[in-house]
Amino acid sequence: MSRTWVVVPTCPPIVLHRCHRCPSGRFRTHGKFRVNAHHKLLDAWLLALCAGCGDTTKLAVLERTRVRSVRPELLNLMHDNDLGLAAELLQDPLLLRRNRVALDWDNAWRLDRGTPEPADRPDGEAIEVRVRFAARVPVRPVRLIAEGFGCARAEVERLLAEGNLVSTVRLGGKLSSDFTFMLKR
């Protein structure tokens, strides 16, 4: 029996960055951009608001870039404050590294399991599950499997230790790319 699960983001993640006004280190993005022109050069930032005090921080998207080298569609999306563009930019590891920020994906994703599992499945049958990621959401596979089957993480750890849960990728740590696992019962 084969299943496909999809990890889907539900909202933009929290940006982890030190606030200069308060002790909070959590910022929320709402898809707002600021674009500034200096003659033939452009600067563009993705704006984020501090969860504690509401102060604004700017994540550099473009820095002193020639106007002609920026795609007009990209510039229009920034002027329209496109939330999809903001989500796409937050997936860019170069942007995160350049701005020295990290992302917190807790409560910002959901697991779409597709059709429910039939209750009359024989006990000896194995289930192969393909997990796809709609966005690069880092998730612990043990947590994902526990949520997908509605059991405790300790139960998933036990299945791993007994060899009843197998995968070609290491299920410890975090993953953000597609993988497959098999559950033998």
Side-chain angles (χ1 to χ4, degrees):
M1 178 178 286
S2 182
R3 297 265 177 228
T4 301
W5 294 352
V6 181
V7 177
V8 181
T10 57
C11 62
I14 299 291
V15 176
L16 301 175
H17 183 64
R18 189 176 68 82
C19 182
H20 297 289
R21 279 208 173 147
C22 73
S24 176
R26 303 172 68 78
F27 285 80
R28 298 189 186 283
T29 60
H30 298 289
K32 304 284 185 199
F33 290 89
R34 177 166 183 223
V35 180
N36 197 6
H38 305 278
H39 301 287
K40 295 180 181 180
L41 302 175
L42 281 179
D43 287 326
W45 301 277
L46 175 61
L47 303 178
L49 298 176
C50 176
C53 65
D55 192 33
T56 303
T57 191
K58 299 184 287 188
L59 304 177
V61 176
L62 300 173
E63 294 178 307
R64 301 292 177 173
T65 306
R66 293 197 172 278
V67 174
R68 290 183 184 254
S69 66
V70 178
R71 293 187 338 260
E73 305 86 36
L74 176 66
L75 199 53
N76 287 337
L77 289 173
M78 283 193 267
H79 282 300
D80 293 340
N81 293 319
D82 186 63
L83 187 59
L85 176 63
E88 182 181 325
L89 289 172
L90 285 173
Q91 298 291 311
D92 184 10
L94 287 172
L95 181 112
L96 299 174
R97 192 171 329 133
R98 182 175 50 224
N99 288 288
R100 295 184 182 99
V101 298
L103 300 178
D104 179 10
W105 282 95
D106 286 348
N107 302 320
W109 61 273
R110 67 177 167 79
L111 179 63
D112 184 11
R113 294 184 298 169
T115 59
E117 191 173 319
D120 58 345
R121 185 174 56 85
D123 276 345
E125 187 176 347
I127 301 173
E128 180 185 33
V129 179
R130 285 186 289 281
V131 179
R132 289 188 354 186
F133 287 80
R136 292 175 29 132
V137 180
V139 178
R140 294 189 185 281
V142 171
R143 177 182 175 200
L144 189 78
I145 294 167
E147 185 175 320
F149 287 117
C151 62
R153 288 186 216 171
E155 175 71 15
V156 175
E157 295 285 352
R158 185 184 63 76
L159 289 169
L160 264 171
E162 291 174 352
N164 290 330
L165 183 63
V166 293
S167 178
T168 57
V169 298
R170 194 170 80 77
L171 296 178
K174 290 187 176 183
L175 292 176
S176 59
S177 59
D178 299 355
F179 68 97
T180 303
F181 68 90
M182 184 170 291
L183 176 65
K184 304 173 203 171
R185 290 202 181 188

